[in-house]
Amino acid sequence: MKKIVLALAVILTAGLSKGFANNPVDVNKKAVAAFHSDFYGARDVSWKESPKYVQAQFNLDNKVMFAYYKPDGSFICLIRNILTTELPSYLRKDIRKNYSSYWVSELFEVNTDQGSSYFIRLENGEGSLILNSENGSNWRTYNLPAPSAKRTVTL
């Protein structure tokens, strides 16, 4: 399950969501039903579907979120961009202490049935790095696949 969530997070980070159908005519009904049960009150919902999972992009509590479901309607994860002020204090403190020469260019939270993970892209004039924290752990470097590597998500 961790590999699935990390793969989805990498896809979001790398901006590869273009591989989805733009406006599917017939979205998976099981995934749609599960979504409406999980996120009552969601607005501005748009759907993207692939053979292996369904993505719902939506607005809830004035925040844009992405929910992922398997075709059988089972929940995979929820991804949302967050501010550094929304990080747990020990992670925020570590960023200030150990990465003060970097700025945050991207930060998001991934929630699954197993817990929460955070991914942060830090940049400075020399380059960038990605860190992640899973289920209360400290930051660790997250290595993206090489740009020329074939990226696939296996669920």
Side-chain angles (χ1 to χ4, degrees), residues 135-150:
N135 300 321
S137 69
N138 290 322
W139 291 115
R140 65 180 180 183
T141 302
Y142 183 78
N143 295 315
L144 287 173
S148 62
K150 183 178 179 183

Side-chain angles (χ1 to χ4, degrees), residues 51-123:
K52 299 203 180 216
Y53 55 96
V54 178
Q55 175 200 46
Q57 178 181 340
F58 61 100
N59 190 310
L60 186 65
D61 298 328
N62 293 319
K63 294 186 181 191
V64 176
M65 300 182 191
F66 301 85
Y68 291 85
Y69 291 89
K70 292 182 181 178
D72 67 2
S74 58
F75 177 74
I76 299 172
C77 68
L78 174 70
I79 299 175
R80 69 183 187 101
N81 292 315
I82 63 171
L83 301 171
T84 54
T85 56
E86 296 175 89
L87 281 169
S89 61
Y90 69 95
L91 292 176
R92 217 175 32 245
K93 183 178 178 181
D94 189 46
I95 293 293
R96 279 195 305 261
K97 179 181 176 186
N98 297 311
Y99 302 96
S100 61
S101 65
Y102 290 83
W103 63 85
V104 176
S105 61
E106 188 172 14
L107 174 59
F108 59 93
E109 178 182 32
V110 179
N111 290 296
T112 67
D113 293 335
Q114 287 78 38
S116 294
S117 299
Y118 299 94
F119 289 82
I120 188 168
R121 181 186 301 267
L122 300 171
E123 296 185 36

Side-chain angles (χ1 to χ4, degrees), residues 4-50:
I4 294 169
V5 171
L6 290 178
L8 286 171
V10 168
I11 287 172
L12 184 64
T13 300
L16 296 177
S17 61
K18 295 174 186 159
F20 293 106
N22 286 336
N23 292 309
V25 175
D26 187 29
V27 177
N28 181 297
K29 292 181 184 356
K30 290 179 183 177
V32 171
F35 171 80
H36 287 298
S37 174
D38 292 344
F39 299 101
Y40 178 79
R43 297 175 321 187
D44 306 323
V45 182
S46 62
W47 296 93
K48 294 180 181 179
E49 189 169 9
S50 81

